[in-house]
Amino acid sequence: MVRWEPGAAGRLREAAMELYVERGFEQTTVAEIAQRAGVTARTFFRHFADKREVLFAGSEDLAGALMRAIVEAPAGAGPMAVVAAALDVGGGLLGQDRERSRHRQLIIRANPELQERELIKLARLGDRLAEGLRARGIAPREAVLAAEAGILVLRVAFESWVSGTDQGDLRVIMAETLAALRTVTA
Amino acid sequence: MVRWEPGAAGRLREAAMELYVERGFEQTTVAEIAQRAGVTARTFFRHFADKREVLFAGSEDLAGALMRAIVEAPAGAGPMAVVAAALDVGGGLLGQDRERSRHRQLIIRANPELQERELIKLARLGDRLAEGLRARGIAPREAVLAAEAGILVLRVAFESWVSGTDQGDLRVIMAETLAALRTVTA
DNA sequence: GATGTGATGTCACTTGATGACATGAACCGT
DNA sequence: ACGGTTCATGTCATCAAGTGACATCACATC
């Protein structure tokens, strides 16, 4: 949600997004991205670990916000209540510009390698959430299950929101999805 | 669970497993795998799409078994009952030799690229399960959530079983994990 | 003005992955 | 037995991702 004009990292992000849309992820070469950003390919790899990572720059912000929400949740809240609070915060963060999200998601959906990267980001996020829950004194197994259930809701709700089948506020959709998960598993 | 002596594909699988253990995934070159299997690197890529895929050869068997279980589940069963039936079949299949599973899992855990591949395999499996549930007349959203919940249980239970913290039958652990998920989300 | 620090460029190299073509063995119908 | 087809593999060439080593330039600090 931050604007990026000056640094090479920001220009590389922009260039990559544009090229991935114009000719697709696989058909885009790192050299091309670098050239459009006015730097060398070598410099690209100084800013991003690999060709996929350039699309996942903001993920640390989300993780930080969710972790903060977990820490700040009211004392004594049960696992799923804590997770629900975190999801609400996450929905507020992710649910800002739907067009950009849809854009990005189209790129990712079109390429398995990018899906892999997204999945592992979510898995790592789940690990951190579980750790946050354990830090609140929640038993390991419950922590893992609640965290993973939260990631599941986040994923499904986001997908629904970004696909436009569901027009409302992402936070609302997340709450509905969580309720639906409760109903289905019950 | 099938034995593989003769074909090049089987020899490549064996060679890859050995080398990934001996020196790690990244440190192993496709040329080395091919050499140990008595073929060329080019031939490796004729049998496996990439260097990771060689570790995920059996995944189609699992998917097939789960899908069959979904089709054959008693008529009128609710989403989670169908998923539970599939998980029971899956537990029976996966829970056979724990040593080999532990072995494989150690390799995967040690390398992010392999984790990515495993995650996308599970995601695809989830997609197929959801489709199977929809084919039974279950509403799309419930189908997706039940399928994804099933994958979640499969993943967590398998992890627990293979880590040895839980000694019993994988099918039992799956059932317990499912019950725990119900409790947590309730 | 010297010196150090950080970001970038240049060069060389390894490795994963793919396309094009050749070869050789097994198989099949006559 | 023969000629032809098919399939698996080898060979060669090539591209692109990624990394290490070293040079360079700008800028800040003393």
Side-chain angles (χ1 to χ4, degrees), chain A:
Chain A
M1 307 310 139
V2 190
R3 273 274 63 83
W4 288 101
E5 302 94 18
R11 293 200 312 274
L12 284 166
R13 255 190 288 265
E14 293 297 327
M17 279 281 287
E18 291 168 13
L19 285 165
Y20 291 171
V21 170
E22 288 175 19
R23 44 179 91 173
F25 174 78
E26 288 198 345
Q27 284 62 47
T28 302
T29 201
V30 172
E32 291 167 339
I33 301 173
Q35 185 179 15
R36 183 169 296 204
V39 295
T40 312
R42 191 65 184 84
T43 293
F44 177 95
F45 291 108
R46 289 207 179 90
H47 288 275
F48 303 99
D50 59 48
K51 193 183 163 189
R52 315 178 215 25
E53 197 64 17
V54 68
L55 273 183
F56 297 88
S59 66
E60 189 48 42
D61 297 352
L62 175 64
L66 294 191
M67 293 306 288
R68 233 173 298 122
I70 286 185
V71 170
E72 293 167 0
M80 280 316 282
V82 176
V83 167
L87 287 183
D88 196 60
V89 170
L93 242 182
L94 287 176
Q96 302 205 338
D97 50 23
R98 179 138 146 261
E99 274 324 298
R100 192 173 182 84
S101 294
R102 189 203 302 274
H103 208 202
R104 211 187 81 114
Q105 216 58 16
L106 280 178
I107 301 175
I108 293 177
R109 269 197 225 143
N111 191 284
E113 296 184 50
L114 293 174
Q115 294 169 35
E116 290 185 340
R117 180 55 51 88
E118 183 170 57
L119 288 171
I120 207 172
K121 291 284 180 191
L122 288 169
R124 302 266 187 253
L125 180 55
D127 292 345
R128 292 179 60 179
L129 296 189
E131 192 191 324
L133 293 177
R134 281 197 306 272
R136 290 179 60 100
I138 295 166
R141 180 156 89 166
E142 280 67 35
V144 168
L145 288 172
E148 297 284 356
I151 296 293
L152 165 53
V153 169
L154 178 77
R155 208 153 44 81
V156 172
F158 184 77
E159 190 70 24
S160 161
W161 175 73
V162 89
S163 294
T165 59
D166 227 327
Q167 296 286 342
D169 183 353
L170 177 54
R171 292 184 308 171
V172 175
I173 299 178
M174 289 221 185
E176 292 171 353
T177 306
L178 176 53
L181 177 63
R182 280 195 232 264
T183 304
V184 166
T185 56

Side-chain angles (χ1 to χ4, degrees), chain B residues 8 40 42-43 46-47:
Chain B
T40 311
R42 191 65 184 86
T43 293
R46 290 206 178 89
H47 287 275

